[in-house]
Amino acid sequence: MQIIPAIDLKDGRCVRLYQGDFAQATVYGEDPVAMAQRWASLGAPRLHLVDLDGAKQGHPVNTPAIHAIVAALKIPVQLGGGLRTAEDIRATLDLGVARVVLGTAAVAQADLVAQMVAEFGERIIVGVDARDGLVATDGWLTTANVRATDLIDQMAQLGVQRIIYTDISRDGTMTEPNFAAISELLRPTGPAIIASGGIATLDHLKRLAELGVEGAIVGKALYTGAIDLAQALT
């Protein structure tokens, strides 16, 4: 299982939100490149970037910071947030981003997801962000009448091979992942699952590994020191 540090970008800075609430943002660093280099130096196999402003506004916003991070690192970077057109997706991949994460587009533009999967294959990931089992979109500001399990099944039929699942109620809370919901999503022939939200201890990581997820995205627990990345990787 890969342990993937998260860097959430808002106004060019590294922040973490509480349950996806833009009004509850904690700034953990003014220099995203330095933060990215820190996690890479500790052995992170890849980084997970989120353009929070982009997710809210519906188009990429923090592109200069993203470009600088990609240029400074040798490990792969995956990025989500505001990628809702073929042009923006292609431009982001051209920056050197290894994978892009489509969330809102997966709900509103399944045809776009199908087109991008046909064009870029495994470089397209779908992010399924759920609140009480229903998918949230537009930077988590809107809840769609779509169940997370149904969306994952639909995306699998389009050829999507990797899903990032986030339980919004756990995100930034450092309580624990929604193990029950994650286990329901794991299927022998289904897409690989990367878990996100609520991870706060090494035990949480061990339990996720035992479930069989491909990766675990860790944010606040790294920034607060609750999880030591080098120790977790070991």
Side-chain angles (χ1 to χ4, degrees), residues 5-6 35 45 58 78 86 104 109 111 113 116 122 141 150 152 154 200 212 226:
M35 188 68 75
Q78 60 193 35
T104 300
Q109 300 170 270
D111 55 339
V113 177
M116 293 295 96
E122 287 196 56
L141 300 174
D150 293 340
I152 290 173
Q154 181 190 6

Side-chain angles (χ1 to χ4, degrees), residues 34-225:
M35 188 68 75
Q37 289 174 321
R38 174 186 172 189
W39 300 138
S41 70
L42 290 173
R46 67 177 59 243
L47 282 186
H48 178 75
L49 303 184
V50 181
D51 184 344
L52 290 174
D53 300 300
K56 192 173 184 179
Q57 296 182 36
H59 58 84
V61 174
N62 286 285
T63 304
I66 292 159
H67 190 209
I69 289 170
V70 171
L73 298 185
K74 294 181 179 179
I75 61 173
V77 171
Q78 60 193 35
L79 169 72
L83 298 170
R84 298 175 197 168
T85 69
E87 292 74 23
D88 285 340
I89 292 166
R90 292 187 185 108
T92 299
L93 291 170
D94 285 345
L95 281 178
V97 171
R99 301 170 175 167
V100 297
V101 184
L102 307 183
T104 300
V107 176
Q109 300 170 270
D111 55 339
L112 174 63
V113 177
Q115 178 189 352
M116 293 295 96
V117 169
E119 194 169 328
F120 296 109
E122 287 196 56
R123 297 183 76 186
I124 304 298
I125 305 177
V126 165
V128 176
D129 307 319
R131 185 183 284 117
D132 298 323
L134 296 177
V135 176
T137 61
D138 304 298
W140 298 356
L141 300 174
T142 305
T143 302
N145 189 27
V146 178
R147 294 199 62 78
T149 50
D150 293 340
L151 180 61
I152 290 173
D153 289 341
Q154 181 190 6
M155 291 300 106
Q157 291 174 7
L158 297 180
V160 173
Q161 298 184 41
R162 189 167 283 105
I163 300 287
I164 295 175
Y165 175 78
T166 304
D167 186 308
I168 296 168
S169 68
R170 311 292 179 106
D171 196 63
T173 65
M174 290 181 59
T175 49
E176 68 173 19
N178 189 336
F179 294 109
I182 292 165
S183 63
E184 286 181 15
L185 305 177
L186 293 163
R187 298 173 176 84
T189 59
I193 302 294
I194 297 173
S196 173
I199 299 168
T201 68
L202 291 177
D203 182 60
H204 291 164
L205 291 171
K206 289 175 184 175
R207 288 179 66 185
L208 288 171
E210 288 165 1
L211 282 180
V213 300
E214 182 184 81
I217 294 173
V218 187
K220 193 172 183 177
L222 293 179
Y223 292 94
T224 61

